[in-house]
Amino acid sequence: MSSDIRVATFDCYGTLVDWEGGLGTFLYSLVLQHEDLPPENGAAMRERWEAIQFDLIRGDYRSYKNVLAESLRQWMTERGYPWREEDGPALLRAMRAWQPFPDTRAALQQVRQAGWKLAILSNTDRDIIAHTLRQLDVPFDEFVTAEDCGSYKPSLNNFERLLERVGEEPAQVLHVAFG
């Protein structure tokens, strides 16, 4: 690890937390509530939902809870499923429980032991990330959410806010993300 780096920042979902497994499982279970036949694989369903979600976050800012519910509503409508008001909160509850990848905690502890600060930059709301931080069970020095910024990554605004919060020059920060 470079001695110039002082802070490791992370995207959270998909990088530290098993976003694909959690979302795929949720969508697969939802389909089984509406169809007798087994659905197509979870990856195909997840990819379509993600495309809808990414279109929503490119528009005007709205809370991530709203993005979750609206993207799920659109996904269900495409599939011909009836929308129930409890479906959006069900996805939110599921997301709050998604688990870190098996190697996440050990890797984060190793980085912390090397003397680096840890921070998260996430396209989510503060109350959602609070649940995830409990699941990670590793102390973070900072976290910045889309809710804090009023915008979603890849907006430069989000990265600038993160740099302000960690108090380091960009050359001292390593950002880790899965995509």
Side-chain angles (χ1 to χ4, degrees):
M1 293 186 200
S2 170
S3 61
D4 294 340
I5 304 295
R6 295 187 180 124
V7 180
T9 66
F10 298 88
D11 176 56
C12 188
Y13 304 99
T15 303
L16 302 174
V17 171
D18 187 4
W19 164 268
E20 292 177 351
L23 182 62
T25 298
F26 177 83
L27 295 174
Y28 197 92
S29 296
L30 188 61
V31 170
L32 290 175
Q33 294 173 29
H34 296 280
E35 295 182 20
D36 292 331
L37 299 173
E40 72 267 27
N41 73 43
M45 292 183 297
R46 186 193 74 250
E47 288 168 6
R48 178 61 194 134
W49 177 86
E50 286 176 341
I52 295 167
Q53 180 223 208
F54 288 132
D55 283 344
L56 290 172
I57 66 173
R58 285 187 204 127
D60 292 337
Y61 175 79
R62 56 172 90 182
S63 75
Y64 195 64
K65 286 182 270 317
N66 182 280
V67 169
L68 284 173
E70 179 57 21
S71 58
L72 184 61
R73 187 194 65 72
Q74 288 182 27
W75 183 87
M76 290 177 70
T77 298
E78 281 184 6
R79 299 183 72 87
Y81 302 152
W83 174 251
R84 302 169 305 171
E85 287 304 313
E86 63 265 22
D87 291 329
L91 178 53
L92 175 61
R93 281 191 307 278
M95 184 178 179
R96 288 175 170 160
W98 292 343
Q99 296 297 302
F101 289 108
D103 60 348
T104 295
R105 285 184 192 99
L108 291 171
Q109 289 167 342
Q110 183 179 6
V111 172
R112 182 169 283 295
Q113 288 170 355
W116 292 18
K117 293 179 186 175
L118 300 176
I120 289 178
L121 178 63
S122 183
N123 276 350
T124 191
D125 298 338
R126 291 183 72 79
D127 66 313
I128 299 171
I129 200 76
H131 286 271
T132 301
L133 289 170
R134 283 193 286 279
Q135 301 293 343
L136 290 169
D137 196 30
V138 173
F140 280 80
D141 298 285
E142 295 289 343
F143 65 92
V144 175
T145 66
E147 181 181 20
D148 297 324
C149 301
S151 58
Y152 288 96
K153 294 180 293 179
S155 172
L156 187 57
N157 177 52
N158 298 51
F159 291 94
E160 289 171 344
R161 176 73 64 92
L162 179 65
L163 285 173
E164 288 172 18
R165 294 279 289 275
V166 299
E168 299 287 348
E169 293 297 318
Q172 279 79 49
V173 178
L174 173 69
H175 186 66
V176 181
F178 82 102

